[in-house]
Amino acid sequence: IIVIECSIDDYPAEHLSFLGPAILDKGALDFAIIPTTTKKGRQGMILQILSLPDKASVLSSLILKETTTLGVRYRKEFRTILERKFYTLETSLGKIKIKLALDNNGNIIKAKPEQSEIDRISKQHNKSYFETYKYLDYCTQK
């Protein structure tokens, strides 16, 4: 994968709500905004994007166009990832989609409800997000 990074110390934090979805829409695998201290002791952030090589140019252009940074850094990195599959689990609150993580032999080693599913179920049953998460997390551990 390609890691694209830049440091930003003069970009309004409220604009980050626009930037994240735009990064994902342009094909990023993931992104992180990491608090940091920049030159002259200013508070800032490191914007870090994980990308496939063929998306790096498009993502860099987006960052240069939509933020105040004057440059971006690239580096190639290797990663190991688990195979993922989705499964629909029947619970007392209804059906919910969970994400399964599998090892190289196809064994389930992690199971987790999707955030959007927790949100949907909690609203549907007028329960708190946290209460619903705890219940669904319990269901996935069985």
Side-chain angles (χ1 to χ4, degrees):
I1 62 169
I2 303 297
V3 177
I4 305 165
E5 284 185 345
C6 65
S7 297
I8 304 171
D9 65 2
D10 58 351
Y11 187 75
E14 63 267 17
H15 295 315
L16 295 176
S17 62
F18 155 77
L19 191 57
I23 290 168
L24 295 174
D25 286 346
K26 292 289 184 183
L29 300 172
D30 202 358
F31 73 94
I33 299 166
I34 306 160
T36 190
T37 303
T38 64
K39 63 185 175 195
K40 300 181 184 177
R42 292 189 289 233
Q43 291 183 336
M45 62 190 118
I46 296 171
L47 174 59
Q48 183 182 79
I49 300 170
L50 303 183
S51 169
L52 294 175
D54 64 330
K55 300 289 184 184
S57 178
V58 169
L59 289 162
S60 293
S61 294
L62 174 71
I63 298 313
L64 291 169
K65 178 181 176 186
E66 296 291 350
T67 72
T68 55
T69 194
L70 300 176
V72 296
R73 300 175 293 278
Y74 296 83
R75 66 180 177 272
K76 182 178 181 180
E77 290 191 2
F78 298 93
R79 68 179 181 159
T80 301
I81 60 173
L82 295 171
E83 180 184 352
R84 298 166 180 99
K85 288 188 179 179
F86 289 95
Y87 175 78
T88 302
L89 181 67
E90 185 69 47
T91 73
S92 64
L93 297 177
K95 294 180 180 180
I96 184 160
K97 185 167 47 172
I98 60 171
K99 185 187 299 182
L100 305 175
L102 311 172
D103 66 15
N104 291 336
N105 297 317
N107 299 311
I108 298 170
I109 59 172
K110 298 178 186 182
K112 179 181 173 191
E114 286 290 287
Q115 182 273 329
S116 59
E117 291 285 278
I118 298 167
D119 188 45
R120 178 183 63 79
I121 294 286
S122 65
K123 288 176 181 171
Q124 184 179 356
H125 292 276
N126 199 27
K127 294 183 178 290
S128 75
Y129 180 92
F130 184 67
E131 178 184 14
T132 305
Y133 169 78
K134 284 179 61 171
Y135 171 74
L136 294 173
D137 187 50
Y138 168 78
C139 290
T140 60
Q141 302 309 314
K142 289 184 172 184

